[in-house]
Amino acid sequence: MRFTQYKGVIDLIDSVIEATEYMKVHNSGELCDICAQSLHSVLNTIENESNSSALFRMINDALNSFETDNYDSDNLLDLLKSIKEKSTLDLKYKLRILFVAELGGKWDSMASVYQAFSERDDCDVDVVLEPIFREVQYSDGSTKREVIYNDWLTPLGINHIPYNCYDMISIRPDITFFSQPYESCTIPMFWPENMAKYTRVVYLPYYAAVIINKDSVEYESFFLLNTQKHSWKIACQSDAMKALYKKHASREGENVVVSGLPKWDYAININSSKVCVPKEWDNKLQGKKVFLWNTHFSIGLSGSQLFTDKMDEFLNLFEEKQNEIALIWRPHPMLETIIEMYYSQDVYDCYWALKKRITDSSNMLIDNQESYELSFVCADAIISDYSSLMDQFMLMHKPALMLTNDLPKARFDFAQNELFDYSKIEFADTLEKQKLFIEEICNNKEDKYVVKQDNVIKQYFKLADGKCGKRLADLLVKDFVSEAVDI
């Protein structure tokens, strides 16, 4: 039965107990008919939901007492309390769980939670695919809006419901998960303030907080949106992050659950043996040390100096050692749009020349897939701008190099080190340092980097054990049931 039915049964039994206690105090039988009607409703509800003859017998005994108006109050109250206890033990309910999925690249923040709930006998799980809007403003004030609505779930073997075929008002799922905090990107039916009218909403952050100050986008994302106001629960990475929720968020952290981020599970639990490497990739990467080059749209142009002579020199490193090293470039999905919208034709031409140069090479390729899983499996090391992929990659115990040009290392040294101290990660602000990193990885000196990284992970991501999704699912079910039913 649905949990709402189960709760209705328990509530009815509680009402009968309360009415019986009232009649005992007032030495009256005026509520016997109402009590009998309530127990008949209980029987009708559980008729096909329980095989317990003992429970049915107990309820019928109580019914007979009310209907004949011939009972001992104390004995009847004991019987009714036994009926409640027996009901809570024998009646099996199922929670209705909903996952609101959007971009395939963000499924990693939900995947382990989805798996945990799918494996529970007390839950039924639905997945709804929603459209996402991206809007970019031109310098003349006009805007370009892009709608993204691709079925990436079916190839993963995940059945889903189109957003326009799901009626949340009538279905009223018990718990709903979402990971898109910005309402401007979604349709109103999936805004947390609207979903919260019909379900308990749970926010799953799609990246870890490592640097937060009041002038940053991260500050708004984590503390100032309707996401924080209307979420029943928010998955939280650490006690240090919860302290910041308490200090800055609208509900002072009372809805925060320190479970670790389910997103971490995705990288930790990647099974390389189950990842199919395309022939094109295998031809370019096999037998070489592979470097993943990750660029974020917000700082990629300047932070990595993509379209300067230094970038040419960087690619020269790979072209000069075609038989020894290989490069996977994973640009941010918004990079091309940003270049097209905000940069000159010269920059746009350079970008396309860069793409062609990589695509035509014998040891370099571009990864535009929804998931980063294939790149993570194939790469021996990462060279990256500041990005959420950095800490995800380090969870695989592989070496990482942070690029810093006009993004100074000092940014990572200030007072927010209680979240994640990036100053202890290897930085490179020159081509020579990048070259040294590549050479050391080729010479099997990964431990020089990995040991430091693992120590930072252990210190700041203490719950990164691959079990965050399962831990969160168990906590949420326990809290949901205890809040809904006083047992």
Side-chain angles (χ1 to χ4, degrees), residues 103-108 134 150 152 155-156 266 275-282 285 292 294 328-334 365-378 389:
L103 300 177
K106 287 169 60 178
W107 179 244
D108 62 345
R134 283 178 176 162
N150 302 319
W152 47 268
L156 295 178
Y266 191 85
V275 176
C276 181
V277 180
K279 184 177 181 180
E280 177 195 357
W281 284 47
D282 199 42
L285 306 180
L292 172 59
N294 172 59
I328 301 171
W329 180 29
R330 186 173 174 86
H332 190 280
M334 284 289 288
L365 55 85
I366 300 174
D367 178 13
N368 288 317
Q369 299 186 71
E370 291 276 8
S371 171
Y372 53 77
E373 181 180 56
L374 182 56
S375 284
F376 272 33
V377 167
C378 292
L389 281 193

Side-chain angles (χ1 to χ4, degrees), residues 77-94:
L77 280 171
D78 288 341
L79 177 59
L80 291 170
K81 290 175 183 177
S82 295
I83 289 172
K84 178 181 178 180
E85 182 180 359
K86 186 69 172 172
S87 296
T88 59
L89 293 173
D90 288 358
L91 295 179
K92 303 302 179 184
Y93 59 79
K94 288 200 175 220

Side-chain angles (χ1 to χ4, degrees), residues 42-50 56:
V42 169
L43 279 175
N44 290 335
T45 302
I46 70 172
E47 183 178 8
N48 297 317
E49 302 293 342
S50 175
F56 286 113

Side-chain angles (χ1 to χ4, degrees), residues 221-321:
S221 172
F222 280 106
F223 305 131
L224 301 182
L225 303 177
N226 279 331
T227 295
Q228 287 75 39
K229 293 179 184 178
H230 297 285
S231 289
W232 171 57
K233 302 290 183 182
I234 297 172
C236 181
Q237 65 195 59
S238 65
D239 290 326
M241 184 60 186
K242 182 170 183 176
L244 291 177
Y245 273 111
K246 287 182 177 180
K247 185 176 181 180
H248 300 288
S250 56
R251 292 172 62 181
E252 298 180 342
E254 56 90 16
N255 56 345
V256 168
V257 178
V258 180
S259 60
L261 295 187
K263 182 182 179 73
W264 295 339
D265 297 339
Y266 191 85
I268 292 172
N269 295 326
I270 286 177
N271 188 336
S272 301
S273 65
K274 293 185 177 181
V275 176
C276 181
V277 180
K279 184 177 181 180
E280 177 195 357
W281 284 47
D282 199 42
N283 289 339
K284 289 194 173 188
L285 306 180
Q286 190 176 33
K288 305 178 180 74
K289 285 288 186 179
V290 181
F291 294 83
L292 172 59
W293 178 42
N294 172 59
T295 56
H296 190 272
F297 75 84
S298 63
I299 58 174
L301 295 174
S302 55
S304 294
Q305 295 186 354
L306 298 184
F307 311 112
T308 66
D309 291 341
K310 287 188 176 181
M311 191 59 251
D312 286 334
E313 294 173 9
F314 177 72
L315 294 186
N316 285 342
L317 297 176
F318 291 86
E319 290 174 336
E320 290 168 0
K321 297 186 176 183

Side-chain angles (χ1 to χ4, degrees), residues 316-482:
N316 285 342
L317 297 176
F318 291 86
E319 290 174 336
E320 290 168 0
K321 297 186 176 183
Q322 296 181 21
N323 298 323
E324 300 174 37
I325 58 177
L327 181 70
I328 301 171
W329 180 29
R330 186 173 174 86
H332 190 280
M334 284 289 288
L335 180 60
E336 189 167 316
T337 301
I338 294 295
I339 294 172
E340 180 183 354
M341 301 288 286
Y342 293 110
Y343 288 85
S344 66
Q345 185 64 41
D346 288 345
V347 172
Y348 190 71
D349 292 342
C350 287
Y351 166 75
W352 277 99
L354 174 65
K355 287 184 65 174
K356 188 175 187 306
R357 181 177 177 184
I358 291 176
T359 302
D360 291 347
S361 74
S362 63
N363 64 329
M364 295 188 286
L365 55 85
I366 300 174
D367 178 13
N368 288 317
Q369 299 186 71
E370 291 276 8
S371 171
Y372 53 77
E373 181 180 56
L374 182 56
S375 284
F376 272 33
V377 167
C378 292
D380 296 296
I382 190 171
I383 298 173
S384 177
D385 296 328
Y386 170 57
S387 163
S388 62
L389 281 193
M390 276 288 286
D391 44 85
Q392 289 292 100
F393 191 85
M394 287 187 286
L395 289 170
M396 296 188 70
H397 310 291
K398 294 183 179 184
L401 180 70
M402 174 81 79
L403 297 177
T404 58
N405 289 313
D406 59 358
L407 181 68
K409 181 178 177 181
R411 177 181 177 185
F412 301 96
D413 287 329
F414 79 114
Q416 293 301 333
N417 281 348
E418 68 266 21
L419 292 180
F420 195 89
D421 190 356
Y422 258 116
S423 68
K424 297 178 181 178
I425 305 302
E426 200 71 23
F427 283 75
D429 55 3
T430 65
L431 183 67
E432 287 70 27
K433 290 181 180 179
Q434 296 173 42
K435 184 176 181 180
L436 175 62
F437 176 76
I438 292 171
E439 290 175 349
E440 292 194 318
I441 301 306
C442 289
N443 292 324
N444 300 315
K445 295 183 179 179
E446 290 91 347
D447 285 351
K448 172 182 175 180
Y449 303 93
V450 172
V451 170
K452 289 197 300 183
Q453 293 168 190
D454 284 352
N455 288 336
V456 176
I457 292 289
K458 289 176 184 177
Q459 181 178 353
Y460 295 99
F461 293 170
K462 295 179 180 178
L463 293 173
D465 57 1
K467 302 175 183 178
C468 297
K470 174 68 164 56
R471 182 161 46 243
L472 181 63
D474 290 344
L475 288 169
L476 293 179
V477 170
K478 181 181 177 181
D479 285 355
F480 180 92
V481 173
S482 64

Side-chain angles (χ1 to χ4, degrees), residues 141-192:
S142 61
T143 60
K144 176 183 178 181
R145 197 183 204 202
E146 180 184 15
V147 181
I148 303 173
Y149 189 62
N150 302 319
D151 176 15
W152 47 268
L153 288 163
T154 299
L156 295 178
I158 299 174
N159 294 325
H160 71 278
I161 304 168
Y163 73 98
N164 53 1
C165 296
Y166 190 85
D167 187 353
M168 184 170 291
I169 297 175
S170 62
I171 296 175
R172 293 177 179 262
D174 296 298
I175 302 174
T176 297
F177 294 91
F178 72 107
S179 62
Q180 176 54 260
Y182 298 108
E183 293 180 347
S184 61
C185 297
T186 62
I187 57 179
M189 69 179 287
F190 294 119
W191 292 355

